[in-house]
């Protein structure tokens, strides 16, 4: 695995991300996070004597038989969760045409979600992949652990350029045997992963976070240029000033994203689209509100 040195610029960026993230979590996301993400289920709390109005289905018949008086089991929600950041680190994730790349955007959004998680006592882990599993951090609690996760997201440089989303999903299921809340970061510019994503979502609570750049939808007129595929290095020469070329590319890209979102909806997978040249707070707030509304019925 390959990381950039922990230099002053990296340290400054991490501190800035932490300050921004903590402010947003304190003001916006901490309460919403708790209301929309639940623990693994119910756990035993205590046994007490039955009182009128208690649910008779919670009567503990063994204790009742021993004492001669009815007793009930009290249960509480098991709040602690395992939160996993599943990250597609293929070469296309380094793409970005404005102030930040997709990987920079990813680090900022992941930081918000990570701080919200540890505020609620959850454990946070990291699984990074390309066309193989490249990096793993075991889930733990605490600020120092979250800062390490953010640092690794921000500075990790993958060994391989390609992507295979199924590899990441298989790795997730192999490593995490119990249900986890999974924030799956990718541009999802891939094929053949749909079945594996459905299977993984049947075991875990997966939220797909699509990383986008505006140029992918609206390519600028730059004249004759060479376009290189970031993942396989294939180069083609195109005249980007031709309206027909830009319109065809725009239609193709928008159709792909529509099909992707329809697949997520049909599979019951929550998804958020965030863009390198747009504020990410509004899409996150919209997601939390939509999920909260659904949970509350």
């Amino acid at each position: 695995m390959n990381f950039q040195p922990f230099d002053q610029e990296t340290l400054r960026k991490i501190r800035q991300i932490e300050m921004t993230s903590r402010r947003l979590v304190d003001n916006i996301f901490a309460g919403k996070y708790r209301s929309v993400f639940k623990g693994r289920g119910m756990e035993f709390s205590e046994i007490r004597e039955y009182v009128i109005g208690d649910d008779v289905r919670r009567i503990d018949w063994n204790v009742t038989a021993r004492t001669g008086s009815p007793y009930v089991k009290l249960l509480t929600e098991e709040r602690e969760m395992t939160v996993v950041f599943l990250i597609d680190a293929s070469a296309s994730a380094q793409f970005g045409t404005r102030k930040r790349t997709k990987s920079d955007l990813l680090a900022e959004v992941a930081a918000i979600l990570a701080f919200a998680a540890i505020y609620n006592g959850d454990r946070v882990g990291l699984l990074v992949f390309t066309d193989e599993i490249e990096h793993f951090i075991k889930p733990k609690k605490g600020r120092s652990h979250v800062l390490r996760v953010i640092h690794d997201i921000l500075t990790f440089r993958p060994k391989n350029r390609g992507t295979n989303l199924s590899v990441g999903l298989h790795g997730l299921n192999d490593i995490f045997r119990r249900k986890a809340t999974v924030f799956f970061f990718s541009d999802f510019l891939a094929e053949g992963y749909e079945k594996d994503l459905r299977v993984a979502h049947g075991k875990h609570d997966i939220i797909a976070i699509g990383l986008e750049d505006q140029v992918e939808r609206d390519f600028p007129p730059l004249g004759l240029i060479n376009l290189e595929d970031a993942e396989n290095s294939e180069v083609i020469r195109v005249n980007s000033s031709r309206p027909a070329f830009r319109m065809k590319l725009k239609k193709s890209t928008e159709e792909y994203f529509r099909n992707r979102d329809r697949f997520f909806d049909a599979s019951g997978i929550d998804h958020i689209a965030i863009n390198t040249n747009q504020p990410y707070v509004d899409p996150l707030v919209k997601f939390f509100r939509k999920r909260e509304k659904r949970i509350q019925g």
Side-chain angles (χ1 to χ4, degrees):
M1 61 191 69
N2 183 23
F3 296 92
Q4 290 181 339
F6 202 93
D7 56 20
Q8 289 301 311
E9 177 60 24
T10 301
L11 183 61
R12 183 199 64 77
K13 187 176 289 189
I14 291 172
R15 286 174 173 168
Q16 181 61 47
I17 289 174
E18 180 184 14
M19 286 189 294
T20 302
S21 300
R22 291 175 74 99
R23 184 169 62 250
L24 289 170
V25 169
D26 288 339
N27 296 336
I28 301 174
F29 293 110
K32 291 185 180 298
Y33 174 94
R34 184 176 181 85
S35 68
V36 301
F37 294 111
K38 297 184 177 181
R40 291 190 293 267
M42 305 299 290
E43 62 180 356
F44 172 76
S45 175
E46 62 177 307
I47 292 178
R48 65 158 169 78
E49 198 165 0
Y50 175 87
V51 296
I52 295 175
D54 283 340
D55 188 343
V56 295
R57 291 173 296 181
R58 293 186 177 174
I59 292 177
D60 187 316
W61 294 107
N62 291 329
V63 176
T64 297
R66 290 199 305 268
T67 62
S69 299
Y71 277 76
V72 295
K73 292 180 180 178
L74 297 184
L75 304 175
T76 57
E77 183 182 358
E78 189 180 3
R79 279 300 319 170
E80 180 181 301
M81 296 191 306
T82 295
V83 175
V84 180
F85 296 118
L86 179 62
I87 293 179
D88 170 12
S90 57
S92 61
Q94 306 305 317
F95 181 71
T97 55
R98 296 299 176 95
K99 294 182 179 180
R100 55 190 171 192
T101 65
K102 291 178 182 179
S103 58
D104 289 333
L105 177 63
L106 187 162
E108 294 177 35
V109 173
I112 292 172
L113 297 169
F115 279 113
I118 63 168
Y119 282 5
N120 283 277
D122 296 336
R123 298 174 298 160
V124 175
L126 175 66
L127 183 62
V128 183
F129 70 95
T130 51
D131 52 8
E132 65 179 67
I133 301 299
E134 295 215 16
H135 186 47
F136 172 62
I137 298 180
K138 185 177 180 179
K140 293 181 181 179
K141 299 180 182 181
R143 172 181 174 271
S144 61
H145 177 71
V146 165
L147 291 178
R148 182 197 170 192
V149 169
I150 296 169
H151 167 267
D152 285 10
I153 291 174
L154 199 61
T155 66
F156 182 77
R157 294 298 176 262
K159 179 175 62 177
N160 299 333
R161 295 168 61 89
T163 186
N164 187 329
L165 301 190
S166 292
V167 166
L169 293 165
H170 291 162
L172 174 73
N173 284 340
D174 290 342
I175 294 171
F176 296 95
R177 300 294 184 178
R178 301 187 68 180
K179 181 177 181 179
T181 296
V182 181
F183 293 101
F184 188 3
F185 289 85
S186 176
D187 53 21
F188 295 99
L189 295 174
E191 297 178 349
Y193 65 87
E194 291 85 357
K195 180 180 178 181
D196 292 313
L197 182 52
R198 287 194 192 97
V199 171
H201 186 57
K203 179 178 179 180
H204 302 289
D205 179 12
I206 295 183
I207 298 93
I209 302 183
L211 306 168
E212 300 179 11
D213 187 276
Q214 193 59 38
V215 165
E216 293 168 337
R217 294 180 184 267
D218 294 300
F219 201 90
L222 301 175
L224 285 171
I225 58 172
N226 292 328
L227 292 181
E228 179 181 357
D229 188 306
E231 295 182 10
N232 62 26
S233 299
E234 181 181 348
V235 177
I236 60 172
R237 188 165 181 80
V238 300
N239 184 356
S240 63
S241 294
R242 291 180 57 206
F245 165 79
R246 297 198 309 277
M247 181 58 68
K248 182 179 180 180
L249 186 63
K250 180 181 178 66
K251 286 183 177 180
S252 175
T253 303
E254 290 186 345
E255 181 180 7
Y256 182 87
F257 284 134
R258 280 196 301 270
N259 290 335
R260 176 201 65 184
D261 292 346
R262 279 198 291 265
F263 162 72
F264 289 150
D265 289 336
S267 303
I269 297 171
D270 287 330
H271 53 100
I272 313 166
I274 53 177
N275 200 299
T276 58
N277 66 332
Q278 294 175 354
Y280 52 76
V281 173
D282 286 347
L284 286 176
V285 170
K286 183 179 179 180
F287 158 73
F288 277 107
R289 286 174 177 167
K290 181 179 179 181
R291 185 166 174 131
E292 186 176 32
K293 184 178 180 181
R294 188 181 72 233
I295 290 174
Q296 292 176 351

